[in-house]
Amino acid sequence: MRRRTPPPPAPLPQRDGVDPVRVRLPYEGAWGTVREHLVARLTGAGPGVVEAMFDAGQVVGADGRAVAPDAPYEPGRYVWFHRDPPAEVPVPFPVEVVHRDEHIVVADKPHFLATTPRGTHVTQTALARLRHELGIPTLTAAHRLDRLTAGLVLFTVRPEERGAYQTLFRDRAVRKEYEAVAPYDPSLALPLTVRSRIVKERGIPAAREVEGEPNAVTRVEPAGHRDGLGRYRLVPETGQTHQLRVHLSALGVPILGDPLYPRVTPPVPAGDFRRPLQLLARRLEFTDPVTGVEHAFTSGRTLRAWASPREWTAGTP
């Protein structure tokens, strides 16, 4: 078994806050050149795209020099390049910085903005924006929020400290509190703790509850009601995908603006920001694993359906 060694540092700078793509050439394969492998590997890039990257000298090795179009295939070699990002509709809401020091950045993410680059969301992500706006290329996310959920996200500044902060979330040493707006049901006895088993299958948009040992636990508390709407305080003890959305839907009070629960609805056109999911990551509390400081952060955002019900009803962005 070959021992994996850490990859060399990227020889290319970030572009718009996005890291270059790093590829390690597999040990198994019958390609004659680096270009042949990348053409076979990047089939979704389109005809001639990889060839054009080589012709323009955009594929580089660890020394930062362009890899020649006829460079022989070397198993284990690393190469880097930037891919043109997909066309993205700008999310017209700012990422607010709640806290910044030499170790962490706590941001207040708007609805519709992904936390980190993934799939069709690359430059329109909180991470890419903050790297660019704050001038911190080493910034990384310690955890994630769904793209449709607004609120607090913790980012780390120093790569060598990222693991310590990620461990907080893995070990459930962070107290997270969310707020949601959903229909009000007077027969729902609150507060209560919901326990269930949630599974999320790859390629299927919605998660679902199944029989078995619970892996998802949420404390649901009332925070007010008026005009048929309820305001709910949600305190998750676990972090399953879509956990809060699944649990409120199962209670018969699905979160307003949810396109997946209780049923999957057709996607809205790109750029339609009128009906954000009414879910907000309101508070983060934890003991800093590096400095020992007790942190407690609160989002400054509000949920439109509760703060401005007329605007929500009218679908005003």
Side-chain angles (χ1 to χ4, degrees), residues 1-195:
M1 180 179 295
R2 299 180 182 89
R3 176 178 296 178
R4 291 185 62 87
T5 57
L12 294 175
Q14 292 173 353
R15 182 186 294 173
D16 295 325
V18 179
D19 292 323
V21 177
R22 183 186 72 223
V23 172
R24 190 184 194 192
L25 306 184
Y27 282 92
E28 296 77 21
W31 301 281
T33 65
V34 178
R35 183 175 68 174
E36 288 178 7
H37 171 69
L38 290 185
V39 168
R41 184 167 184 158
L42 304 176
T43 55
V49 172
V50 174
E51 291 86 345
M53 289 167 54
F54 276 93
D55 292 341
Q58 296 173 345
V59 180
V60 305
D63 58 2
R65 296 180 180 179
V67 178
D70 60 351
Y73 186 89
E74 300 176 26
R77 181 182 184 180
Y78 288 98
V79 296
W80 288 260
F81 54 88
H82 278 288
R83 298 187 67 174
D84 291 333
E88 298 179 69
V89 175
V91 177
F93 312 112
V95 181
E96 305 291 348
V97 174
V98 175
H99 173 84
R100 177 182 178 181
D101 61 35
E102 60 184 314
H103 305 284
I104 61 174
V105 171
V106 179
D108 203 349
K109 184 185 80 68
H111 293 104
F112 301 108
L113 191 69
T115 301
T116 58
R118 184 178 182 184
T120 59
H121 304 287
V122 180
T123 59
Q124 289 298 305
T125 60
L127 179 61
R129 280 198 192 179
L130 289 171
R131 281 175 170 176
H132 179 71
E133 294 171 4
L134 301 181
I136 309 177
T138 57
L139 199 69
T140 54
H143 66 121
R144 293 180 181 177
L145 278 186
D146 289 345
R147 184 178 67 87
L148 299 183
T149 303
L152 299 178
V153 185
L154 175 65
F155 296 87
T156 63
V157 174
R158 299 174 176 175
E160 66 272 20
E161 295 174 352
R162 181 187 183 190
Y165 291 97
Q166 286 182 319
T167 298
L168 290 176
F169 291 89
R170 184 198 68 190
D171 294 347
R172 304 176 187 175
V174 178
R175 186 181 189 276
K176 297 180 286 184
E177 182 180 304
Y178 291 74
E179 181 181 311
V181 178
Y184 172 66
D185 181 357
S187 67
L188 188 61
L190 297 179
L192 61 79
T193 299
V194 182
R195 294 180 173 85

Side-chain angles (χ1 to χ4, degrees), residues 189-223:
L190 297 179
L192 61 79
T193 299
V194 182
R195 294 180 173 85
S196 71
R197 185 166 190 81
I198 295 176
V199 297
K200 174 68 170 67
E201 299 174 7
R202 187 178 183 86
I204 298 178
R208 58 192 176 91
E209 291 183 306
V210 298
E211 295 293 331
E213 182 179 355
N215 63 357
V217 181
T218 305
R219 176 74 171 174
V220 182
E221 302 175 357

